[in-house]
Amino acid sequence: MAQSNFTLPDVGEGLTEAEIVSWRVAPGDTVAINQVLVEIETAKSLVELPSPFEGVVGEILVEEGITVDVGTPIITVLSSADAGTPGSSADTGSPASAASPAVPEAQVVAADTADSVSAESERAVSARAAASGAAGDDGEKPGAVLVGHGSSAATGSRRRRAHLAPSAHEAFVPQAPVASPSTSAPAGVAKPAPARPAPALSAGPVLAKPPIRKLAKDLGVDLAEVTPTGPIGDVTRDDVIRQASQVSVFRNIETPAWPADREERIPVKGMRKAIAQAMTSSAFTAPHVSVFVDVDATRTMEFVKRLKSSTDFAGVKVSPLLIMAKAMIWAVRRNPIVNSTWTDEEIIVRHYVNLGVAAATPRGLIVPNVKDAQAMSLLELAQALEKLTITARDGKTQPAEMANGTITITNIGVFGMDTGTPILNPGEVGIVALGTIKQKPWVVDGEVRARYVTTIGGSFDHRVVDGDVVSRFVADIASIIEEPALLLE
């Protein structure tokens, strides 16, 4: 009987091990070439591995939750002919007729599959965004714009980890049902969920377009709990995304009882291990220096509002993070040394910007980056950031999307934080933090007025950049946030 062993491939990352997350097949199942066999987790990403063979699954050699080295056999596949499965090439009787070339081709197939999944996710989100039309009122706080931060309920349902008990923050994610629109109701009107009393801020039915309801369902958001900001009191796309971010950030809003176990032990592996190693290396290798400045962001908020109402940006996520990203690129051009890397022998200054965006995902902190962001228009940058957001939230960010970053932005304002001292992404010499944007008293022309104010902070590698450069760079970013019209120069 011809039997083929499928070994754990490298998947092109140069990594040495991976964890078996979820098997998609069982012994006795018939599989075809390119059919997904298993989902694995490396230190960088989740990857679906397709079969390089056709036949019948013989034995699963590694259980879910186990970490194994690259090259370890993880599953056996019997040839279709020997298993008695119709459609096999029984005339040759050769094992090679049932098995295509081994690991190298499997690596290529795995990469192609991952790319196609990300593309399909992007197209689906773009279609939903286009259907929902332009975003609503701009009275929102910037807490809705954390890149990569989505409902953990949506991503958690894809993954199964029987070997670990759910953590506290996973166990208490609100799982409220979302009311489906009735076919007999007027367009854009849905019946309130009967199982929940109407919130104090909403005494009648929830107004929302069908695409908005679909988005809410996908993100696990109960529309009855969303504060609408639309022109007719309807729930907008931004309202739903903001609510999803708040639910995810404040998922421990309910105080659970103390667990029966006095201790919980979480294995340090996969992405958490990689994060720990990277942050430790960065913190104890690069001497960090940090600076902060408060900025009147009122004109940025007004600019974001105008962009949202523009037909050119219809269906595209627009937020203060977009203006911050553009400001970063502009400031890098004026202070190129902050866009460098240190090698002990030399400082390499990059005259391009692969803009990293720190993304808090259910799997942990990742930093995907927008390649050649300096060559993008404002619209192209907005589209690239939205793609980055959706891909990270879906857990489909690939290693290539996190490689070769040159400078990073982190949006801590989504957590309601004014500022912080971020740690440098390894290999970079600058990271800038955008704090929450909220109304505060601010002196304008000798009078105290209510203005939208934020704090911009950053950390830098003092081996490469001196205090005067750091100060000029952050001041340049602040000048754009204060007056976005400077980008027109």
Side-chain angles (χ1 to χ4, degrees), residues 120-140:
E120 290 172 5
S121 174
E122 178 191 349
R123 287 194 296 270
V125 172
S126 297
R128 288 200 301 270
S132 64
D137 188 16
D138 189 59
E140 65 180 10

Side-chain angles (χ1 to χ4, degrees), residues 213-286:
R213 295 182 180 279
K214 175 65 167 58
L215 177 63
K217 183 177 181 181
D218 290 344
L219 297 181
V221 171
D222 185 351
L223 286 176
E225 297 180 352
V226 178
T227 302
T229 63
I232 59 173
D234 57 316
V235 175
T236 68
R237 183 173 181 271
D238 281 355
D239 296 336
V240 172
I241 293 176
R242 179 171 60 251
Q243 180 70 15
S245 297
Q246 290 172 350
V247 168
S248 189
V249 171
F250 301 108
R251 56 170 58 98
N252 60 339
I253 196 167
E254 297 181 29
T255 304
W258 285 103
D261 298 330
R262 291 179 62 83
E263 296 179 338
E264 178 184 6
R265 296 174 183 262
I266 302 175
V268 178
K269 58 183 180 179
M271 178 167 285
R272 179 49 55 191
K273 184 176 181 179
I275 292 172
Q277 292 172 340
M279 293 297 98
T280 300
S281 175
S282 177
F284 292 100
T285 300

Side-chain angles (χ1 to χ4, degrees), residues 18 77 246 265 354 357 419 468:
V77 179
Q246 290 172 350
R265 296 174 183 262
N354 289 348
V357 182
T419 190
D468 60 332

Side-chain angles (χ1 to χ4, degrees), residues 299-331:
R299 287 191 175 93
T300 283
M301 298 300 285
E302 293 170 348
F303 185 39
V304 167
K305 186 174 183 178
R306 289 197 300 272
L307 290 177
K308 286 182 177 182
S309 62
S310 169
T311 56
D312 292 338
F313 285 80
V316 179
K317 174 64 180 177
V318 178
S319 72
L321 182 65
L322 171 63
I323 312 306
M324 182 69 176
K326 200 67 175 177
M328 285 268 290
I329 297 167
W330 183 79

Side-chain angles (χ1 to χ4, degrees), residues 29 59 120 141 152 158 168 171 180 239 286 307 324 336 356 472:
D29 288 353
E59 183 181 2
E120 290 172 5
K141 296 180 181 180
S152 59
R158 300 187 311 103
S180 301
D239 296 336
L307 290 177
M324 182 69 176
R472 285 198 302 268

Side-chain angles (χ1 to χ4, degrees), residues 11 32 42 91 105 130 142 203 220 250 300 320 330 348 367 436 443:
V11 301
T42 71
D91 56 331
E105 183 170 327
F250 301 108
T300 283
W330 183 79
I348 302 174
V367 188
T436 184
V443 178

Side-chain angles (χ1 to χ4, degrees), residues 430-483:
I431 181 171
V432 178
L434 174 64
T436 184
I437 302 178
K438 55 189 175 183
Q439 286 193 319
K440 292 181 179 180
W442 193 262
V443 178
V444 180
D445 296 331
E447 297 181 358
V448 178
R449 302 178 186 176
R451 306 286 284 183
Y452 283 101
V453 177
T454 188
T455 301
I456 297 173
S459 295
F460 302 86
D461 188 340
H462 219 332
R463 295 174 300 179
V464 179
V465 290
D466 298 326
D468 60 332
V469 177
V470 168
S471 299
R472 285 198 302 268
F473 177 67
V474 174
D476 282 343
I477 295 174
S479 66
I480 295 296
I481 300 301
E482 191 170 68
E483 182 48 83

